[in-house]
Amino acid sequence: MDHEVSSSALGAVGATGLSPLDLFLHASIVVKLVMLGLLLCSAGVWAIIAEKIILIRRVNREATEFEDRFWSGGSLDDLYESDGARPTHPMAAVFGAAMGEWRRSARIGGIDLSRGGVRERVDRAIDITVMRENDRLTRRLIFLATIGPVAPFVGLFGTVWGIMHSFASIAQMHNTNLSVVAPGISEALFATAIGLVTAIPAYIAYNGLSNSFEKFTDRMEAFGTEFAAILSRQSEERADDTTGGKA
């Protein structure tokens, strides 16, 4: 059995080609399926990354514009009618949920808005809305969290299968020349490379996007806390006015 790597063998490998397309076309059916699956996952990863980057920028911009209107000193009732009643972004949804609960409580005859039950309902409305908006914003991030650790192992499976295919070729041809071994090894390593190219962006993007959405959630919670304090203060002022009027 010839164990030497001859120049003719190297020429045969060069003729096969090491371009990504050649490596894919000459791979076995199993390795091709692994590569296709990883490429589809990679496309999905980049689509989600692009969508979430655009989304986090948009909601932060809309939140800033809304907070400017909120702190401008205008009527909260007018702001509720224009933004809170039919919210189009998360910050307006938090405002609308709290303001809506407070207004519904105010319509109850003889209720004391300063009592704890009203404040608790407003706080609960804020918490539920923040949770719901956070779930909506982070939807599909779980895909990135899954692809990150799984894709390298899928690529490794393609690598193992390709190496097994190479060993089978050696056994059938009784030849260990590079022309027999190299194509299968190259295809196998290419599957691992695709797995890494898919996993690395998914892992980095998941961590970065999760951090960005966590900061935005904190921003919504901080706004909700401030707004609940404003409503509580207004409730106490109304109660004092009512008490003074009766006196």
Side-chain angles (χ1 to χ4, degrees):
M1 185 177 294
D2 184 13
H3 294 276
E4 296 182 357
V5 179
S6 64
S7 60
S8 60
L10 291 172
V13 175
T16 302
L18 293 177
S19 69
L21 181 59
D22 289 330
L23 292 174
F24 173 78
L25 293 176
H26 291 90
S28 65
I29 184 63
V30 174
V31 180
K32 282 181 180 178
L33 291 175
V34 170
M35 291 180 182
L36 285 174
L38 290 172
L39 288 173
L40 289 175
C41 289
S42 181
V45 164
W46 283 107
I48 292 173
I49 291 174
E51 177 205 353
K52 296 304 181 183
I53 289 176
I54 294 173
L55 177 62
I56 192 63
R57 289 179 178 176
R58 178 173 60 82
V59 295
N60 272 303
R61 184 183 67 253
E62 291 172 339
T64 299
E65 294 172 353
F66 176 79
E67 286 180 321
D68 289 341
R69 293 193 298 273
F70 179 83
W71 296 112
S72 64
S75 170
L76 292 181
D77 289 323
D78 292 341
L79 186 61
Y80 176 78
E81 296 300 330
S82 62
D83 291 59
R86 297 179 183 84
T88 58
H89 55 88
M91 196 67 79
V94 174
F95 168 77
M99 190 68 178
E101 181 60 40
W102 189 77
R103 293 178 69 171
R104 284 190 292 271
S105 297
R107 286 197 294 266
I108 300 175
I111 191 171
D112 182 5
L113 292 175
S114 63
R115 68 181 186 179
V118 176
R119 176 64 185 269
E120 290 175 0
R121 288 198 297 272
V122 170
D123 289 341
R124 187 161 55 248
I126 291 173
D127 292 340
I128 292 174
T129 304
V130 169
M131 185 183 303
R132 183 176 63 246
E133 292 299 322
N134 180 66
D135 290 341
R136 184 178 64 84
L137 292 173
T138 58
R139 191 176 303 151
R140 289 189 293 276
L141 280 186
I142 189 65
F143 181 76
L144 301 183
T146 303
I147 292 298
V150 170
F153 290 101
V154 176
L156 183 60
F157 168 75
T159 297
V160 172
W161 191 273
I163 292 175
M164 291 171 57
H165 188 263
S166 297
F167 287 155
S169 299
I170 293 173
Q172 291 174 2
M173 301 180 66
H174 303 287
N175 191 343
T176 57
N177 281 342
L178 192 60
S179 59
V180 176
V181 179
I185 299 297
S186 300
E187 296 154 9
L189 294 177
F190 186 52
T192 297
I194 296 177
L196 292 175
V197 169
T198 302
I200 292 172
Y203 187 79
I204 294 174
Y206 175 76
N207 288 319
L209 290 170
S210 296
N211 183 59
S212 297
F213 285 118
E214 183 177 345
K215 288 181 178 178
F216 186 76
T217 299
D218 292 341
R219 184 178 181 180
M220 287 191 293
E221 290 176 347
F223 172 79
T225 300
E226 290 180 317
F227 185 47
I230 292 173
L231 292 178
S232 178
R233 186 163 54 250
Q234 289 189 357
S235 300
E236 292 173 359
E237 290 173 354
R238 286 193 178 188
D240 290 341
D241 292 340
T242 302
T243 303
K246 289 181 179 180

